[in-house]
Amino acid sequence: MQRSGYTMRIQDGMYLGGEIPVLFAGPCAVESLDTCLEIGEALKILAADLGFLYVFKASFDKANRTSSSSFRGLGMDRALSILSEVGKRLQVPLLTDIHESYQADPVAQVVDVLQIPAYLCRQTDLLLAAAETGKAVKVKRGQFMAPEDMRYAVEKIRGTGNDEVCLTERGFALGYHNLVVDMRALPVMRAFAPVVFDVTHSVQQPGGLGGSSGGQRHFAPYLARAAAAVGVDGFFIETHPKPDMAMSDGPNMVPLHQMESFLRMLKETWEIGRKFEEIQV
């Protein structure tokens, strides 16, 4: 199965789907400016040292939390202001999620990549609103979607005249509170658009802790290494200095102090995988 040949422009001179893997990484949510800067600065240095292009990510609103009592965010205005400041200080592109069509335009004024959450990947109005901003659109495969059906999400976005789109693999639901990654999904979706592997949410256990989601971060290296060997164009990783104290998704985050060895492993495996991408049987 051949790659699509498409790339996704993130900003001038930075593309997903080229000769350098892209790292989308940061905390799950915008918790504070200091936390975002601490994480972003460390990741920017690591990415440069290890040969990744880097995009800072953090959600301004966690609209899909299991319980209404869980932390959602600091509010749209404050969180976007923090993201803007991170981008200016660190001179890095930014990614965040949108959940409603009306959010697309104001968020696009701040970030370079709009991310569509997995639960919302079939929402036509949301996809079109994101695409019509002209910004890059990163669509996560729904836990309920066949990988070959993600071509229609890509077609909706490209139908607006915006070709800057990629897909993201994060596992499919198998029973309750469990996700499984089908590595066949990577080449299937890569025939339509560049593909990013979501390391963090592939080891998530949705709703697994009752009122919140659990996670199995100890499996993250295995799945990430497998995806890098199969072939992807980038990696999405959430990290935090103290994951167990993070405001959301702590159980499946990679601790910040382990990111250097984690990324080094990924890059080495990714380079090996690239050598064998053209083999067909």
Side-chain angles (χ1 to χ4, degrees), residues 98-106 123-130:
I98 58 171
H99 298 84
E100 303 280 354
S101 299
Y102 76 85
Q103 296 173 339
D105 283 336
Q123 297 299 104
T124 300
D125 289 345
L126 182 62
L127 291 169
L128 297 183

Side-chain angles (χ1 to χ4, degrees), residues 128 131-132 152-163 165:
L128 297 183
E132 287 167 356
Y152 303 112
V154 173
E155 289 174 358
K156 289 176 183 179
I157 291 166
R158 290 190 179 138
T160 69
N162 184 349
D163 288 337
V165 57

Side-chain angles (χ1 to χ4, degrees), residues 161-179:
N162 184 349
D163 288 337
E164 312 305 337
V165 57
C166 72
L167 296 172
T168 300
E169 172 60 27
R170 50 93 24 99
F172 68 93
L174 183 65
Y176 301 119
H177 310 312
N178 192 42
L179 298 172

Side-chain angles (χ1 to χ4, degrees), residues 217 238-243 253-260:
R217 72 166 68 104
E238 290 179 346
T239 183
H240 197 280
K242 299 178 180 179
M253 282 189 186
V254 177
L256 185 60
H257 72 273
Q258 293 180 1
M259 282 293 287
E260 180 175 2

Side-chain angles (χ1 to χ4, degrees), residues 215-228:
Q216 297 174 308
R217 72 166 68 104
H218 54 283
F219 285 128
Y222 302 100
L223 294 181
R225 197 158 58 235

Side-chain angles (χ1 to χ4, degrees), residues 110-189:
V110 175
V111 307
D112 304 272
V113 184
L114 299 174
Q115 180 167 269
I116 307 299
Y119 291 118
L120 302 176
C121 68
R122 286 174 59 103
Q123 297 299 104
T124 300
D125 289 345
L126 182 62
L127 291 169
L128 297 183
E132 287 167 356
T133 67
K135 292 298 180 77
V137 183
K138 180 176 176 291
V139 186
K140 290 194 176 188
R141 176 166 83 97
Q143 301 91 327
F144 46 85
M145 290 286 288
E148 58 268 25
D149 290 341
M150 290 303 296
R151 70 183 302 165
Y152 303 112
V154 173
E155 289 174 358
K156 289 176 183 179
I157 291 166
R158 290 190 179 138
T160 69
N162 184 349
D163 288 337
E164 312 305 337
V165 57
C166 72
L167 296 172
T168 300
E169 172 60 27
R170 50 93 24 99
F172 68 93
L174 183 65
Y176 301 119
H177 310 312
N178 192 42
L179 298 172
V180 173
V181 177
D182 179 0
M183 291 295 165
R184 296 174 299 180
L186 301 176
V188 169
M189 294 194 299

Side-chain angles (χ1 to χ4, degrees), residues 1-8 15-22 158 185-196 228-234 270 273-280:
M1 187 171 293
Q2 297 295 318
R3 290 172 57 185
S4 67
Y6 280 98
T7 59
M8 184 184 82
Y15 292 84
L16 176 72
E19 297 303 312
I20 303 175
V22 178
R158 290 190 179 138
L186 301 176
V188 169
M189 294 194 299
R190 217 166 172 216
F192 316 136
V195 168
V196 174
V230 169
V232 291
D233 302 289
W270 184 85
R274 293 279 284 186
K275 296 178 181 179
F276 301 102
E277 280 190 344
E278 301 309 317
I279 293 178
Q280 302 290 318

Side-chain angles (χ1 to χ4, degrees), residues 21-69:
V22 178
L23 172 66
F24 300 87
C28 177
V30 176
E31 298 179 5
S32 70
L33 176 59
D34 287 346
T35 299
C36 287
L37 288 173
E38 177 185 358
I39 295 170
E41 185 171 16
L43 293 175
K44 179 182 178 180
I45 293 170
L46 287 176
D49 288 346
L50 298 175
F52 291 87
L53 300 175
Y54 177 56
V55 178
F56 178 86
K57 71 78 45 185
S59 298
F60 77 86
D61 179 25
K62 300 301 297 180
N64 54 359
R65 297 305 300 272
T66 303
S67 170
S68 60
S69 63

